[in-house]
Amino acid sequence: MNAPGAALLEVDGLNVGFKTSDGLVRAVTDVSFRIDPGEVLAVVGESGSGKSVTALALMKLHPRSAVISGTAMFDGVDLLALGDADMRAVRGNSIAMVFQDPMTALNPVFTVGFQISEAVLAHNDVTKKAAWARTVELLDLVGVPEPRQRASQYPHEFSGGMRQRAMIAMAISNDPKLLIADEPTTALDVTVQAQVMEVLREVRKETGAAMMLITHDLGLVAGAADRVQVMYASRLFEAGAIDDIFYDSRNPYTRALLGSIPQVDSERTERLLAIPGNPPSLLNPSPGCPFMPRCSERVERCTEELPTLLEIRGREHRSRCHLAQELAPISEVLP
Amino acid sequence: MFAYSIRRILTTIPLLLVALYLVYIGVSVTTDPLAEFRLCLPRCQEGYDRIVELYNLDQSVFVRPFGWAADAITGDFGTSNVAGQPVSTVLWERGINSAMIAIPAFLLAAVLALLLSVYSARRQYSAGDYVLTGLSFFGIAFPAFVLGLVLQVIFAIKLPEWTGWKLFYTGGKRTDNIGEIIGTVTLPVVTLATLFVAADSRFGRAAMLEVINSDFIRTARAKGLSERRVIWRHALRNALIPLVTLWALNFSALLGGSVITESVFSWPGLGQILIPALQRPDLDMVMGIVIFTAIITVVFNLLADLLYGVLDPRIRYD
Amino acid sequence: MTDSSTTKLEVDIAIATEGLTAEPKSFGKLARERFFKHKLAIAGFIGLVLIASIFVLGPWLSPWAFDEPNVLNRRAGPSRDHPFGTDTIGRDLFVRTTMGGRYSLTIGALVAVLATLIGTLLGSAAGFFGKWIDTVVSQLVNLVLVVPAIIVLSVVALRFGAQPVGIAVVLALLLWTRIARVVRGVVMQFREQEFVMAARAAGAGSGRILFRHILPNVFGAVIVEITLLIGLAIVLESTLSFLGVGVKPPTPTLGNLVFQAKGDINSDPIRVLLPGMFIVAIVLCVNFLGDGLRDAIDPRSRADEKE
Ligand SMILES: Nc1ncnc2c1ncn2[C@@H]1O[C@H](COP(=O)(O)OP(=O)(O)OP(=O)(O)O)[C@@H](O)[C@H]1O
Ligand SMILES: [Mg+2]
């Protein structure tokens, strides 16, 4: 058991690279963070910033072309050092994952119930019948109507929102301590998005699981997360409690992201393309700050020197910016 | 699903009828059953007349196929003059011989292709994968008759010379001794199977790779399932869907391959009699073979359709 | 890299044409670069050139004629005078094999040209005009597919196939369907595309649109099929000749050389296998070439290299 106050997950110096014919693509560079039991950590950042790769590396579900270093202490063991069999015992059991696209995340040729009960059977020594009963119970819990009948239907007979509920049911089937949700609502309609977030909230209340919520949508983060960490070009750019990030961000990139949250009444945009310019190539990083070409605050130093991730005023608020302390209060910059 | 298959078969029937009609006319126009008789004419008037009557040669070539069809509907497929037996008897006896090669070859090819595709897809870019890919390139490049001859030279001619073991036989079906029959059948079966394994395993590898890289396989792994279950249960079930279509197509190609393989190994199957029947011409025999292969093709397409419906639940409803 | 070559052609084409329209300028160059990076394709190309030059030069360099019998020197083994030996009536096999290679290659090329012409014409008409033309062509394709190919081939070859040109025509009449299917698919996609619409709006007639705007783009998609067709035609020709219904001796082809030597397989296997191995070598090279071309055209493999 954890000592009180100990972290559930403590990631230290995580690096993930992909060997390609053009060279090494550095998808995650020197990322360190922690998740405490029961809390929600939101991970935000533009497309390609390394959010999914981070999550998959923790589960060791990365492609074979990946090279990984660092440590990830979970419940006293280093996930990254686990062998295949030990890792399998963790997957779907104490750490479970919900993926972005519920349309493709379920196997089309097996019934939804079969796929959920498989997760139950993989980690518990119970009969198939008991696993099926548990499956129906789980579907009921995530708000699938008529769970008994629905369990023996195939994924194509489910709507997108219902499939994502089924995915959540599968993820919580073994009472995980950590739930990793990789953009669980991105592929869904706006109205359904809210419902799925609500289901996630409820199942967390039920199971007490901590959650790593990966998302593009800062609007979603505001209501759901305890802490936020912002990634850019494979690195952590800012991390802190939700209020620190929303009301006292010390990083121009985070501020740019905040400025690009779509208004409630405006047309919803899936991507955070409001920031002009494109993220840099991850192949041959230049020496300076990777955000420099797009940054409105850039100074001479930014071209030569990569800023370090520094603690701000001794709080658990970290930012990677040469000007972290000098930036004007956020209220003066954003409307 | 079943209704869908039936409908599909019904739409191929007119096509088949047209094909039968054209084959009959084609053979009639391109060959002359009276050739031998013309030379000796006044003397062999009797034989000449018999042939004219047998094939209704006094009628227009466009009408003749209907006479054949009228008989065929009553179950009378005529007599083969090459074999000197009723066509139905020849079809039955030689059909069994052909099946002794075609069916084992088909099964062997399907199982091997499946195992090899799983291996190659799981070990993509490994040495073994490269070797298999290279071999399949070679296999595809071999025409059936060259491969058959090469195997024949190596295993039936050179092997006994070098080692004194006479394991394989060629030159047709001579006894009813099971051991010898197996020794005779092995080389044609391997020839035929190799051709399909080479092509199918490359297709299977691509199908398997596509499945292995899909989201739901990641989900299966994220559940903590064993790798064995992920591959053999989750991935294979999906990769089988395109493979079944391919196997249905294979079966028609298998018939063509049989003609050649049977010729190479002098195996008394249907394929071996086809060429003499075309040359003679033995119209009734040719039509018998065409209709026989057509029925088999239709039956196997139906089976494939049904299997498809079992494998892919999405089909039942769209 | 090689796995993309066996995936469904339609998909390949869909993606290939997508690439064609998205970036018409860089595509050709990228494709060329990719092709030259493909070592097997280069090897296939060099192999083909090598084999073809042996076939072209062989009969020239040898003092013998391909149809000159010598009853005093029958079934001779390889020697300095006759590098491949002699056949049952004493004809030099080196000359016969290289001559046969010439005929086989010529038949292959001729079939590719004819089948491409027929297939492109019918396929583009079906794809471009749709409606009943499409129905007729599609049924024609199905008809060719439903009759066991070997029967049609044998029947027609028996009658018309004694000469190389006859055999080539017969094979083309059977193989055009592969080209037609590809062309029809591509044309149907292009028909609705913006630049075609623009040309139509500008008052260009159907023929002009088809020949000036659509067909040039189809070429990329069918080039792979055409390459493979050469190999397939050579295999089919040799198979028919092997069955004794193809090109008639004394004109040699690689297939009928095997047919003629078949009876002596027990005593003289090399005479049977040598022409056969030439066929294998040609088809192998052609397939490597086709594979390289497909990789060059398929932007998918390009995409995964960029990332
Ligand atoms: N298998 C791979 N091979 C090479 N590069 C890869 C591979 N997988 C991911 N990458 C690269 O790693 C980087 C990070 O990818 P990741 O999927 O983590 O981004 P993300 O932040 O999750 O983006 P999104 O919001 O689009 O999901 C990307 O630039 C991507 O191109
Ligand atoms: Mg992602």
Side-chain angles (χ1 to χ4, degrees), chain B residues 15 24 60 64 75 95 109 164 176 217 234 270 273 291:
Chain B
L15 214 57
Y24 196 105
S60 152
R64 277 182 243 155
D176 282 333
I217 291 301
H234 281 258
L270 283 175
I273 204 174
I291 228 181

Side-chain angles (χ1 to χ4, degrees), chain A residues 47-48 51-53 100 182-183 214 216:
Chain A
S47 198
K51 308 181 297 288
S52 299
V53 172
Q100 170 173 348
D182 189 355
E183 309 194 28
I214 297 171
H216 276 160

Side-chain angles (χ1 to χ4, degrees), chain A residues 8-331:
Chain A
L8 176 65
L9 173 71
E10 180 123 36
V11 176
D12 194 33
L14 178 68
N15 284 286
V16 184
F18 291 102
K19 283 191 216 143
T20 69
S21 51
D22 297 325
L24 191 72
V25 172
R26 309 205 58 171
V28 176
T29 312
D30 196 22
V31 165
S32 307
F33 64 93
R34 58 183 277 167
I35 298 179
D36 289 332
E39 83 167 336
V40 177
L41 172 73
V43 182
V44 297
E46 277 172 300
S47 198
S49 54
K51 308 181 297 288
S52 299
V53 172
T54 305
L56 290 174
L58 294 178
M59 295 277 273
K60 285 211 178 173
L61 288 172
H62 49 266
R64 251 175 307 178
S65 60
V67 229
I68 297 194
S69 64
T71 58
M73 301 303 292
F74 177 81
D75 244 3
V77 289
D78 182 4
L79 294 174
L80 300 181
L82 282 183
D84 282 349
D86 292 329
M87 193 65 226
R88 267 204 304 278
V90 172
R91 285 186 200 140
N93 197 9
S94 45
I95 306 183
M97 202 153 171
V98 176
F99 295 101
Q100 170 173 348
D101 189 355
M103 306 317 267
T104 56
L106 287 164
N107 195 328
V109 304
F110 297 118
T111 63
V112 171
F114 172 83
Q115 297 184 59
I116 298 175
S117 65
E118 243 187 345
V120 177
L121 287 165
H123 301 286
N124 300 285
D125 196 9
V126 294
T127 62
K128 283 191 178 161
K129 222 174 140 195
W132 191 262
R134 169 91 175 121
T135 298
V136 173
E137 195 180 296
L138 285 164
L139 283 174
D140 192 34
L141 186 75
V142 296
V144 172
E146 298 178 352
R148 205 168 299 277
Q149 287 86 316
R150 287 301 205 136
S152 39
Q153 289 183 343
Y154 288 92
H156 70 271
E157 299 169 73
F158 274 48
S159 68
M162 283 299 151
R163 286 191 212 190
Q164 198 59 305
R165 286 173 199 252
M167 282 297 295
I168 295 173
M170 187 189 292
I172 59 166
S173 58
N174 294 301
D175 286 330
K177 289 183 185 148
L178 176 63
L179 200 59
I180 302 178
D182 189 355
E183 309 194 28
T185 61
T186 310
L188 302 173
D189 287 346
V190 186
T191 44
V192 184
Q193 288 186 350
Q195 292 167 9
V196 167
M197 285 311 292
E198 187 54 33
V199 171
L200 277 174
R201 196 199 321 275
E202 264 160 33
V203 299
R204 279 206 325 105
K205 217 164 66 193
E206 198 88 9
T207 60
M211 179 158 79
M212 179 169 166
L213 175 67
I214 297 171
T215 179
H216 276 160
D217 188 348
L218 272 169
L220 206 77
V221 171
D226 302 310
R227 286 191 302 118
V228 184
Q229 77 190 20
V230 180
M231 288 185 75
Y232 181 74
S234 86
R235 295 173 192 273
L236 276 187
F237 256 55
E238 191 171 16
I242 190 144
D243 287 353
D244 286 341
I245 300 295
F246 273 77
Y247 302 113
D248 190 22
S249 165
R250 301 273 103 210
N251 193 299
Y253 176 62
T254 312
R255 293 180 174 206
L257 280 182
L258 285 168
S260 69
I261 299 179
Q263 300 300 303
V264 183
D265 49 4
S266 73
E267 242 338 82
R268 190 157 195 111
T269 45
E270 287 293 342
R271 292 166 305 165
L272 300 174
L273 275 188
I275 310 176
N278 286 309
S281 156
L282 301 176
L283 262 176
N284 302 303
S286 43
C289 172
F291 188 57
M292 183 275 297
R294 308 165 73 188
C295 185
S296 55
E297 313 288 329
R298 63 168 171 255
V299 293
E300 196 68 19
R301 237 177 119 192
C302 303
T303 21
E304 293 132 27
E305 195 186 326
L306 175 75
T308 45
L309 191 64
L310 277 183
E311 298 234 330
I312 313 282
R313 287 182 227 108
R315 286 183 291 164
E316 257 200 49
H317 182 181
R318 297 175 293 164
S319 169
R320 187 186 296 278
C321 181
H322 293 307
L323 304 173
Q325 308 287 4
E326 287 113 77
L327 289 175
I330 200 166
S331 50

Side-chain angles (χ1 to χ4, degrees), chain B residues 15-16 18-19 22-23 26-27 29-31 124-125 133 137-138 140-143 145-146 149-150 152-153 157-158 161 202-203 205-206 209-210 256 259-260 263-264 274-275 278-279 286 289-290 293, chain C residues 1-3 5-8 40 139 142-143 146-148 150-152 154-156 158-160 235 238-239 242-245 255 258 262 265-266 269 272-273 276-277 279-280 283-284 287-288 291 300:
Chain B
L15 214 57
L16 269 176
V18 173
L22 290 181
V23 168
V27 178
V29 173
T30 51
T31 51
Q124 194 186 4
Y125 303 138
T133 304
F137 257 115
F138 260 100
I140 292 171
F142 267 91
F145 72 95
V146 177
L149 290 170
V150 168
Q152 188 176 341
V153 167
I157 299 174
K158 291 295 173 191
E161 270 178 31
R202 265 165 73 69
F203 181 89
R205 175 181 183 269
L209 271 176
E210 204 172 314
V259 176
I260 298 150
S263 299
V264 171
L274 176 65
I275 301 295
L278 282 169
Q279 277 165 331
V286 172
I289 293 177
V290 173
T293 55
Chain C
M1 219 174 250
T2 39
D3 53 296
S5 61
T6 38
T7 46
K8 271 192 77 192
L40 280 183
Q139 288 304 316
N142 287 341
L143 190 67
V146 91
V147 191
I150 198 87
I151 293 184
V152 183
S154 313
V155 169
V156 189
L158 268 173
R159 176 78 175 205
F160 303 104
V235 167
S238 62
T239 302
F242 169 78
L243 292 173
V245 296
V258 178
K262 190 169 58 161
I265 189 160
N266 282 305
V272 183
L273 297 187
M277 290 335 264
I279 304 173
V280 174
V283 179
L284 200 61
N287 287 354
F288 282 155
D291 217 45
R300 251 185 326 184

Side-chain angles (χ1 to χ4, degrees), chain C:
Chain C
M1 219 174 250
T2 39
D3 53 296
S4 61
S5 61
T6 38
T7 46
K8 271 192 77 192
L9 201 63
E10 266 89 62
V11 181
D12 288 353
I13 291 152
I15 293 166
T17 49
E18 195 183 304
L20 283 169
T21 47
E23 32 194 322
K25 268 178 226 129
S26 62
F27 180 75
K29 193 163 154 276
L30 273 166
R32 227 169 299 132
E33 274 170 19
R34 291 190 58 79
F35 179 79
F36 284 112
K37 260 204 224 163
H38 203 290
K39 292 192 192 71
L40 280 183
I42 299 296
F45 182 72
I46 293 176
L48 270 186
V49 170
L50 224 71
I51 293 172
S53 27
I54 294 177
F55 289 166
V56 171
L57 297 180
W60 253 18
L61 296 180
S62 171
W64 314 103
F66 74 92
D67 52 357
E68 180 188 310
N70 176 2
V71 279
L72 297 178
N73 190 19
R74 291 178 299 175
R75 294 197 170 92
S79 64
R80 183 183 270 275
D81 270 359
H82 300 283
F84 289 2
T86 60
D87 71 1
T88 37
I89 52 171
R91 292 175 295 196
D92 176 67
L93 274 174
F94 177 71
V95 181
R96 285 189 69 71
T97 307
T98 47
M99 259 324 254
R102 277 192 195 178
Y103 278 113
S104 292
L105 274 184
T106 314
I107 291 173
L110 201 56
V111 171
V113 170
L114 289 176
T116 306
L117 277 179
I118 306 175
T120 308
L121 217 65
L122 291 180
S124 55
F128 190 75
F129 297 107
K131 307 212 187 71
W132 66 268
I133 299 187
D134 189 18
T135 317
V136 169
V137 172
S138 300
Q139 288 304 316
L140 219 54
V141 170
N142 287 341
L143 190 67
V144 175
L145 292 179
V146 91
V147 191
I150 198 87
I151 293 184
V152 183
L153 275 175
S154 313
V155 169
V156 189
L158 268 173
R159 176 78 175 205
F160 303 104
Q163 292 308 311
V165 176
I167 266 283
V169 172
V170 171
L171 287 173
L173 285 177
L174 202 88
L175 294 177
W176 62 272
T177 54
R178 300 164 63 98
I179 304 278
R181 268 209 347 242
V182 176
V183 172
R184 173 176 173 271
V186 179
V187 168
M188 265 165 70
Q189 267 178 2
F190 272 95
R191 194 174 54 177
E192 306 305 331
Q193 230 131 57
E194 275 159 37
F195 67 97
V196 173
M197 296 298 217
R200 208 193 288 269
S206 297
R208 196 184 155 77
I209 292 176
L210 193 57
F211 284 102
R212 290 291 298 271
H213 295 274
I214 298 186
L215 284 187
N217 288 305
V218 169
F219 184 72
V222 288
I223 181 74
V224 179
E225 272 303 302
I226 296 174
T227 315
L228 299 180
L229 209 58
I230 299 178
L232 193 59
I234 290 174
V235 167
L236 285 177
E237 178 279 315
S238 62
T239 302
L240 287 177
S241 296
F242 169 78
L243 292 173
V245 296
V247 175
K248 290 276 178 299
T251 307
T253 71
L254 294 176
N256 73 20
L257 286 172
V258 178
F259 174 68
Q260 285 179 296
K262 190 169 58 161
D264 292 334
I265 189 160
N266 282 305
S267 54
D268 193 1
I270 298 302
R271 192 145 63 83
V272 183
L273 297 187
L274 209 65
M277 290 335 264
F278 269 108
I279 304 173
V280 174
I282 294 174
V283 179
L284 200 61
C285 290
V286 163
N287 287 354
F288 282 155
L289 197 63
D291 217 45
L293 285 173
R294 201 194 300 259
D295 274 356
I297 290 167
D298 185 348
R300 251 185 326 184
S301 23
R302 191 183 55 184
D304 63 34
E305 218 173 42
K306 240 202 275 180
E307 269 185 5

